[in-house]
Amino acid sequence: MRQTLLLSVMAVLLVATGAASAADCTAPGEPKVDWQRCYVDGRDLSGHDLSGARLRETSFQRSLMAKVRLIGADAYRARFVSATLAGANLDGAILVEADFTKTDLSGASLKQADLRRAKFFRANLQGADLTGARMLGADLLNADLSGARWIDGQRICAPGSIGQCN
């Protein structure tokens, strides 16, 4: 009897903690929000502070995110296709395999961001700061890096730097 009661209590606790850790796609955009696997397409999140947010596999396609703060956010495999992140702060964010196809990241700060295997096809990275970013396997095909500060923190990409920092 005691063993059955103990197992029942443990099952209730496991279900309760599982439900508490589930993403809330309707939660307001604020620090540490859990929007994992949510669709936030086309929303205006300009100026929001999403620092430390859990955004794994979340879709932000065509969203307005100018000057958004994603400092330390976990956005593994997030999709920012055709989004506007001009002037955004993504310092220290985990953006492994994120898709920034046709995204405006002009003037964005990506210092110490993990951008391994991220896609930047035709992205606008003009004037972005990539100091210390991890970019192994990142796809910069046709990305505009004009005026961007490169990962070494020293080199500024020349005007007309398309697909690579010249």
Side-chain angles (χ1 to χ4, degrees):
M1 180 71 175
R2 283 185 178 173
Q3 186 177 16
T4 305
L5 180 62
L6 181 61
L7 287 173
S8 297
V9 169
M10 287 176 52
V12 167
L13 287 174
L14 284 173
V15 169
T17 47
S21 66
D24 181 0
C25 299
T26 61
E30 59 189 15
K32 298 187 179 181
V33 68
D34 185 353
W35 282 347
Q36 178 173 274
R37 294 188 184 106
C38 294
Y39 291 93
V40 193
D41 297 341
R43 286 192 40 196
D44 187 351
L45 298 168
S46 298
H48 278 69
D49 186 354
L50 303 176
S51 297
R54 188 166 185 199
L55 308 171
R56 296 173 72 88
E57 298 179 357
T58 298
S59 180
F60 294 97
Q61 294 186 70
R62 296 172 312 283
S63 290
L64 302 175
M65 302 175 76
K67 297 186 180 177
V68 72
R69 292 173 48 102
L70 290 166
I71 299 167
D74 181 357
Y76 170 79
R77 283 192 175 173
R79 292 173 304 284
F80 297 93
V81 176
S82 298
T84 300
L85 283 103
N89 188 331
L90 296 98
D91 292 351
I94 299 168
L95 298 158
V96 175
E97 297 182 18
D99 190 349
F100 293 99
T101 298
K102 297 182 182 178
T103 299
D104 181 2
L105 287 155
S106 58
S109 182
L110 295 139
K111 295 177 187 172
Q112 306 299 321
D114 192 345
L115 301 168
R116 291 175 294 159
R117 297 179 305 283
K119 297 174 193 154
F120 292 95
F121 176 69
R122 294 184 59 195
N124 179 0
L125 288 156
Q126 292 180 17
D129 190 343
L130 297 163
T131 302
R134 297 172 62 191
M135 297 189 65
L136 182 65
D139 182 357
L140 295 166
L141 183 64
N142 293 322
D144 189 347
L145 293 158
S146 301
R149 182 172 301 276
W150 195 238
I151 59 176
D152 61 8
Q154 302 297 314
R155 184 168 43 147
I156 303 294
C157 302
S161 291
I162 305 296
Q164 64 183 11
C165 184
N166 298 320

